Amino acid sequence: MRYHTIVCRLGSGDTAKVVPLRSDTLVTDVSFVDGDRRLSYGLGDTLDHLAKLGIAPSEKAVDLVLLAAAVTAADTRISRATESQDLWTREIDVHVPVLDVELWTSFAPLIGRTLNFLTGDHWRVVFRPRSDGFEGLVPCPTMLRRVNSDCVCLFSGGLDSFIGAIDLLQDGKRPMLVSHYWDGITSSRQTHCADALGRHFLRRPFDHLRARIGFPNGLVAGSRGEDTLRARSFLFFAVAAMTADAIGGDMVVHVPENGLISLNVPIEPSRLGALSTRTTHPWYMARVCELLSGLGLTVRLHNGYRFKTKGMMAKECGAKDLLAAEAMHTMSCSSPGKARYAKNKADRTPKHCGYCVPCLIRRAAIIEAFGADATPYQVASLTGQVLNTAKAEGNHVRGFQVAFARMKRKPGRVRFDIHRPGPLVDHPDDLADYERVYVEGMREVERLLEGVRAWPT
């Protein structure tokens, strides 16, 4: 195990002495400014995109994205396997230059608690002044303002975000779609889905910001990198908040996510804590909203589907014909790239695996809504063979089957299970709705898995 410190630097001239919080830490300096005094790693491109739309965010919003990018650098380039004591929990300190040190420092404890919950690591965040000459990081708009968006919507390329965008456009809203990607698979799905929306809603034009923010392998010496990516939604939320801030006014950032995935109650005891993702968990989103409000950003995150299952979202979609035609082109799988290990070369094109938790919930939802699913899956049929539970293809199926049996044996435990991923304390009146959406979401998957055999038990 090694302790790590990521120091965010603003160019070669940023030589201010940074004293690590502990002496036995490995310090990695990361310069976030290229030779043209422009933010690097995709941040500058994102700001340029906004400038071309004739809008510019506040320096405070840019500081938020800079923090999120530094966290992403640590999260994606510090290996859990080699850099943690228990193959999961890492000890990470992040030093970030900001414009208002006093303000940001007052929120350092909140940021630490939020990141700890999100990723399952131990985070500490330290703020220092920006280096001379970098008091302004926001480029001036290069065009007259042409944005008339009245909200922002996260657009990941997944089924839920596609439904969210459809419903907003169908309701007459003017959303700014915000995407983040690093790999080509995600990028192509986002592009395809946005183009499909554009063709369907010809008279309701929308803007689409696509941010590509990421870091090269080998950024942290001696670490091979990490692919669990638990902090990804912090960067996604930060980019969306910065975009909303640039548009101006009291803005809502829509976070389309079904309630079952949002709660993400672990189906197996071994997946407690951040082993099950918490990217849109209500407690986490409430803390991010608390941070945004404290910073003075008039931006609010909102998940309007938190009390709906994925199947409900699909069945109630505002343009169901469009969804039926394009659902197969959305991407829900947790790791579509694993298709490259298929025995048959013809099957090595990246695609949904069909057996991870997101894929099973997706399959259940599409069947609920349309009765058939045209999505290409690596495991095309769940009933065509006995699934081996000692391998990935049968592990989650069996986990769901055990969870179904547990719920039937002790139905009263559901009210406690929904708290297992994290506390639901911000809106106590919502507990009955969270309990209901969890039960109904599990029933959707149970109907999908009727007749599916997984062995050994």
Side-chain angles (χ1 to χ4, degrees):
M1 173 182 178
R2 293 190 296 179
Y3 300 97
H4 285 268
T5 297
I6 300 294
V7 179
C8 175
R9 299 283 187 182
L10 295 180
S12 57
D14 184 358
T15 58
K17 183 178 181 181
V18 173
V19 180
L21 296 178
R22 55 185 304 150
S23 59
D24 56 347
T25 187
L26 175 65
V27 178
T28 301
D29 284 357
V30 182
S31 177
F32 279 80
V33 172
D34 59 25
D36 297 323
R37 301 175 65 82
R38 177 174 174 273
L39 288 175
S40 52
Y41 300 114
L43 298 174
D45 292 336
T46 304
L47 288 170
D48 288 347
H49 188 128
L50 295 176
K52 291 175 183 177
L53 294 175
I55 56 178
S58 64
E59 296 291 338
K60 196 182 304 178
V62 172
D63 280 340
L64 174 64
V65 173
L66 194 59
L67 164 65
V71 168
T72 299
D75 184 50
T76 59
R77 294 298 169 248
I78 298 176
S79 169
R80 294 187 188 275
T82 62
E83 308 302 301
S84 68
Q85 185 172 331
D86 57 0
L87 301 181
W88 186 267
T89 310
R90 300 163 297 185
E91 301 272 353
I92 305 172
D93 298 335
V94 179
H95 293 250
V96 183
V98 293
L99 200 59
D100 189 339
V101 176
E102 184 177 356
L103 174 66
W104 279 98
T105 299
S106 69
F107 289 103
L110 171 62
I111 295 168
R113 291 197 308 272
T114 303
L115 293 175
N116 291 350
F117 177 83
L118 179 63
T119 73
D121 300 298
H122 294 156
W123 294 86
R124 291 184 296 182
V125 182
V126 180
F127 298 100
R128 61 187 181 87
R130 291 185 187 176
S131 52
D132 292 340
F134 287 95
E135 293 80 8
L137 292 172
V138 180
C140 293
T142 55
M143 303 287 287
L144 292 176
R145 182 185 176 103
R146 67 174 185 83
V147 171
N148 65 347
S149 303
D150 56 12
C151 61
V152 169
C153 181
L154 299 189
F155 196 70
S156 65
L159 185 65
D160 285 9
S161 71
F162 189 55
I163 294 172
I166 289 174
D167 288 348
L168 288 170
L169 289 165
Q170 190 70 27
D171 289 344
K173 298 291 186 182
R174 303 186 304 275
M176 165 78 82
L177 304 184
V178 173
S179 300
H180 174 260
Y181 71 98
W182 183 243
D183 61 275
I185 301 171
T186 303
S187 176
S188 63
R189 298 304 174 108
Q190 291 169 353
T191 300
H192 180 97
C193 290
D195 289 346
L197 289 173
R199 291 191 298 270
H200 188 86
F201 295 101
L202 284 173
R203 297 184 180 180
R204 300 173 193 171
F206 57 88
D207 289 301
H208 184 197
L209 173 72
R210 302 181 70 241
R212 186 177 189 268
I213 300 170
F215 301 87
N217 293 324
L219 184 76
V220 175
S223 176
R224 66 186 186 190
E226 180 57 44
D227 60 6
T228 53
L229 311 183
R230 287 298 187 261
R232 63 187 180 275
S233 73
F234 190 65
L235 178 62
F236 206 174
F237 287 174
V239 172
M242 180 180 72
T243 303
D245 180 70
I247 295 171
D250 294 331
M251 294 293 291
V252 174
V253 173
H254 292 277
V255 183
E257 185 76 274
N258 70 87
L260 183 61
I261 285 288
S262 184
L263 288 176
N264 211 3
V265 177
I267 60 175
E268 303 167 73
S270 62
R271 297 191 66 81
L272 283 173
L275 287 172
S276 288
T277 57
R278 293 164 161 176
T279 53
T280 60
H281 189 276
W283 189 92
Y284 163 63
M285 286 184 59
R287 301 291 75 74
V288 175
C289 285
E290 185 180 346
L291 174 62
L292 295 176
S293 176
L295 293 173
L297 300 176
T298 55
V299 178
R300 177 172 60 90
L301 305 179
H302 174 65
N303 179 7
Y305 301 101
R306 63 193 182 281
F307 301 137
K308 291 187 179 184
T309 68
K310 205 180 193 81
M312 290 176 186
M313 290 179 67
K315 284 189 287 189
E316 299 169 11
C317 178
K320 202 171 176 182
D321 55 340
L322 173 62
L323 181 63
E326 300 295 343
M328 64 182 293
H329 300 295
T330 64
M331 176 54 67
S332 306
C333 187
S334 60
S335 50
K338 58 179 174 274
R340 64 182 179 272
Y341 299 115
K343 293 181 180 179
N344 188 341
K345 286 186 178 181
D347 295 331
R348 292 177 185 173
T349 302
K351 61 172 68 72
H352 290 84
C353 70
Y355 52 77
C356 67
V357 169
C359 275
L360 293 173
I361 294 174
R362 170 201 175 87
R363 296 179 86 150
I366 294 177
I367 294 296
E368 286 282 321
F370 304 110
D373 184 2
T375 304
Y377 294 105
Q378 192 175 344
V379 174
S381 172
L382 294 172
T383 58
Q385 68 280 317
V386 177
L387 301 176
N388 187 346
T389 60
K391 296 183 178 180
E393 66 186 33
N395 181 264
H396 293 305
V397 169
R398 187 57 182 165
F400 269 115
Q401 291 174 336
V402 171
F404 303 150
R406 189 170 58 238
M407 288 175 61
K408 292 175 181 177
R409 188 170 62 252
K410 295 182 179 180
R413 67 176 293 159
V414 168
R415 69 188 62 175
F416 304 104
D417 284 347
I418 60 173
H419 294 276
R420 292 174 70 196
L424 298 170
V425 297
D426 293 281
H427 305 285
D429 293 341
D430 293 342
L431 291 178
D433 288 316
Y434 284 128
E435 183 177 338
R436 174 186 52 78
V437 76
Y438 173 62
V439 171
E440 293 181 1
M442 291 292 281
R443 285 174 178 165
E444 284 183 5
V445 181
E446 185 176 20
R447 288 191 286 273
L448 171 75
L449 297 183
E450 287 178 359
V452 174
R453 296 168 296 163
W455 185 264
T457 59

